[in-house]
Amino acid sequence: MDVDPRTELSEFLRSRRARLSPDDVGLPRYGRTRRVPGLRREELAQLAGVSVAYYTRLEQGNGRNVSDEVLDSIARALRLNEAEYTHLRNLAACPRDNKKKKKTSRGVRPALKHLLDNVGVPAYIGGRRSDVLAWNPMAAALFGDWAELEPRDRNWARFIFLQPSYQELFVNWESKAADVVGFLRMDAGCYPNDPELTALIGELSVKSELFRQLWAKHDVKEKSFGTKVLRHPLVGEMTLSYETLRMPSEPDLFFTTYHAEPGTPSAEALQLLASWGKDATRSGESVRTQR
């Protein structure tokens, strides 16, 4: 399942245009009944201040030599958020063949591993394609002992879409699934010829109907911060905040932590999990099996 930059640019622009109506952007409704949802190309071109022919070429996937000013105008007309604008720029600037991009190493510097071990909350380091590269014992207690998996299977997309235990762990599992697909879309915009990413997308498309539906939406998302509700088989429901920090010297790496507000039942549950360590994973699986 190849990720073609021209197709990605075309489908992304069409999907963003389809979600807007004339009412959303203050344009009058006129002419024949609309056969498809969203703005017409000529309406979008008018809002962006470019010719219809120019915008049509861009929407057909021809992003070569488009200026930053034009991209800015189109982004404003489409009301793109920051992640979507970054994705648009990546797609428009993407060369036809970037197979020569250097491969991302799966290694993590010893200093980062030492930092992980000394963080007092669940933490892990992730890389491209939502791979999990390193983690601390509290993360293993919360999410499962990833050391028991093959390296290729230590991947959030595979966790969420292919492992039923994660569907039970995340209370709003479909929201987490949408986040993961949004992250993969951002990666696809930067590295469309990454064979491992292409293989991952193909595998998930075959095995998960929900993944196919979410992938077709062309939604994108940056890793950042937020709150998730988890239901652990040993300690029950916890509301945890997460923070994701990009490594300045290694921009493909992300440092993610989960924590609970001090003095809350969630904080107490997290401390209890920490006291179990890796045994929490095995005990949790035993609880699931007994259900």
Side-chain angles (χ1 to χ4, degrees), residues 27-47:
L27 289 177
R29 290 181 174 270
Y30 58 88
R32 63 186 181 280
T33 303
R34 293 171 185 263
R35 293 176 295 175
V36 293
L39 295 176
R40 299 186 178 117
R41 283 178 176 172
E42 57 267 27
E43 292 170 332
L44 197 285
Q46 175 187 342
L47 288 170

Side-chain angles (χ1 to χ4, degrees), residues 73 77 108 122 141 145 192 225 246 263:
S73 297
V108 174
D145 189 3
F225 62 92
R246 189 187 296 267

Side-chain angles (χ1 to χ4, degrees), residues 16-17 19-21 24-25 27 39 41 43-50 55 70-80 88:
R16 301 307 90 172
R17 180 164 58 85
R19 69 182 181 180
L20 294 175
S21 72
D24 294 330
V25 296
L27 289 177
L39 295 176
R41 283 178 176 172
E43 292 170 332
L44 197 285
Q46 175 187 342
L47 288 170
V50 298
Y55 177 75
V70 169
L71 287 179
D72 289 346
S73 297
I74 291 173
R76 286 193 295 270
L78 290 171
R79 300 191 173 183
L80 302 186
L88 173 62

Side-chain angles (χ1 to χ4, degrees), residues 238-240 259-273:
M238 296 177 288
T239 300
L240 302 180
H259 65 279
E261 185 178 347
T264 63
S266 294
E268 295 175 4
L270 205 55
Q271 284 300 113
L272 181 58
L273 271 184

Side-chain angles (χ1 to χ4, degrees), residues 157-216:
R158 289 191 172 97
F159 297 156
I160 294 299
F161 290 100
L162 303 182
Q163 292 197 23
S165 61
Y166 282 82
Q167 298 178 22
E168 298 176 13
L169 179 63
F170 286 89
V171 172
N172 193 346
W173 167 70
E174 291 193 358
S175 173
K176 178 63 176 177
D179 288 348
V180 170
V181 173
F183 303 150
L184 289 181
R185 270 287 179 197
M186 291 292 288
D187 269 355
C190 295
Y191 307 99
N193 293 308
D194 179 348
E196 292 183 57
L197 178 59
T198 298
L200 176 62
I201 295 167
E203 177 186 358
L204 296 173
S205 297
V206 169
K207 295 180 178 179
S208 171
E209 171 66 23
L210 178 60
F211 179 85
R212 290 196 296 273
Q213 293 173 1
L214 292 172
W215 188 254

Side-chain angles (χ1 to χ4, degrees), residues 39 60 89 135 180 247 269 274 276 278-279 284:
L39 295 176
Q60 289 172 344
R89 290 179 62 89
W135 59 94
V180 170
M247 301 289 98
W276 280 73
K278 289 185 178 180
D279 290 336

